[in-house]
Amino acid sequence: MIIGSGLIAKSLQHLDTENTVYFASGVSNSLETRNSEFERELSLLRTAIQNNKGSRLVYFSTLSVHDQSKQNSPYVLHKLQAEDLIKNISENYLILRIGNIVGAGGNPNTLFNFLKNRISEKTPFILHKKARRILVDIDDISRFFESEYKHLNNRTVNFSYPYYYSMNEIIEAMEEQLDTAAIYQENEEGDFYPVEFDDSVTQYYSEVNAADYLKLLIKKYL
């Protein structure tokens, strides 16, 4: 069973089975502040667990829970609350904390879509020189489930390509693919947060280096 209709949910359609509940619904906007939206997801999550006892629950959380600058954000606090709910009432689960998803379409405010639109439309933007970001191909999520997830029982796993890309690396690769120069001003702001990746994740990505992975994403989705 797949709960949700967004980018993640659509990428999992070919994995839809009766004995696994993929919970890909709820709050997707990291800037959300309305309690009603958070409560709606928690209620739906609780119902999904109670109505599917005996099934494995797969929940999609966020790597932002590791970001010290966001520890008090309503979105991060909500995701941690959802994780705790799962651990307390689900007997069989996998919590996947995901970084910046790259895919076809989706939220126009994601990092990848934001930069793509700004560069292709020649719209100026501000570049935070110290910022680094972790990226993940939307298709890697379903492929990871097919290859590794059966061995991960009642675990919380950080999942993304295990490399911190600088903004310059991402922008320069996009400029080359689009054959367009980005228009931006640099400042000294920005940061990144360290993430520990499970051996199953590093092994999954062991055959591709960081530069090639970025090129693959840009060629595939730009």
Side-chain angles (χ1 to χ4, degrees):
M1 175 188 295
I2 298 173
I3 299 176
S5 58
L7 191 62
I8 293 177
K10 291 176 182 177
S11 75
L12 300 172
Q13 293 299 319
H14 65 290
L15 298 181
D16 194 0
T17 61
E18 292 184 358
N19 61 354
T20 302
V21 177
Y22 296 99
F23 193 91
S25 181
V27 179
S28 60
N29 181 3
S30 62
L31 299 179
E32 182 61 75
T33 60
R34 292 171 295 174
N35 285 331
S36 59
E37 295 302 302
F38 299 137
E39 288 301 325
R40 183 178 293 111
E41 178 178 337
L42 290 175
S43 177
L44 183 60
L45 178 59
R46 188 179 292 108
T47 299
I49 295 172
Q50 293 172 343
N51 290 349
N52 295 278
K53 292 183 178 180
S55 296
R56 171 185 289 259
L57 174 77
V58 177
Y59 179 76
F60 299 94
S61 188
T62 173
L63 285 179
S64 293
V65 300
H66 298 290
D67 187 346
Q68 292 301 311
S69 69
K70 297 180 180 178
Q71 292 305 294
N72 294 319
S73 80
Y75 178 76
V76 165
L77 292 173
H78 161 68
K79 284 298 185 183
L80 290 172
Q81 186 178 3
E83 290 185 12
D84 287 342
L85 173 65
I86 293 166
K87 294 172 185 176
N88 287 331
I89 69 173
S90 176
E91 297 179 355
N92 188 359
Y93 67 84
L94 172 63
I95 297 171
L96 211 66
R97 291 174 172 171
I98 300 174
N100 293 276
I101 294 176
V102 182
N107 188 338
N109 295 316
T110 63
L111 173 68
F112 193 90
N113 286 339
F114 172 84
L115 292 175
K116 176 183 68 174
N117 293 336
R118 288 298 188 274
I119 296 172
S120 61
E121 295 169 3
K122 299 183 182 298
T123 304
F125 61 93
I126 302 296
L127 170 63
H128 295 175
K129 289 176 61 176
K130 296 180 181 179
R132 289 182 174 270
R133 293 294 180 263
I134 303 173
L135 305 177
V136 59
D137 185 344
I138 184 64
D139 291 336
D140 283 342
I141 297 173
S142 59
R143 285 195 289 257
F144 180 72
F145 288 147
E146 293 172 311
S147 63
E148 297 289 348
Y149 92 106
K150 292 180 181 179
H151 306 294
L152 302 173
N153 299 316
N154 295 343
R155 295 274 304 279
T156 300
V157 175
N158 299 321
F159 185 75
S160 279
Y161 186 84
Y163 177 81
Y164 302 91
Y165 290 98
S166 71
M167 300 304 292
N168 280 324
E169 285 178 294
I170 299 171
I171 290 170
E172 288 172 6
M174 286 185 168
E175 287 176 322
E176 181 177 352
Q177 180 68 25
L178 293 170
D179 192 25
T180 301
I183 304 173
Y184 58 87
Q185 290 183 333
E186 294 183 332
N187 63 30
E188 296 297 327
E189 297 181 13
D191 57 13
F192 67 96
Y193 47 91
V195 176
E196 292 186 8
F197 289 97
D198 190 272
D199 288 343
S200 61
V201 176
T202 55
Q203 180 61 35
Y204 175 82
Y205 284 114
S206 62
E207 296 184 2
V208 58
N209 65 43
D212 288 342
Y213 189 73
L214 180 58
K215 289 179 181 177
L216 180 152
L217 292 177
I218 287 175
K219 187 172 183 180
K220 186 175 180 180
Y221 294 116
L222 224 58

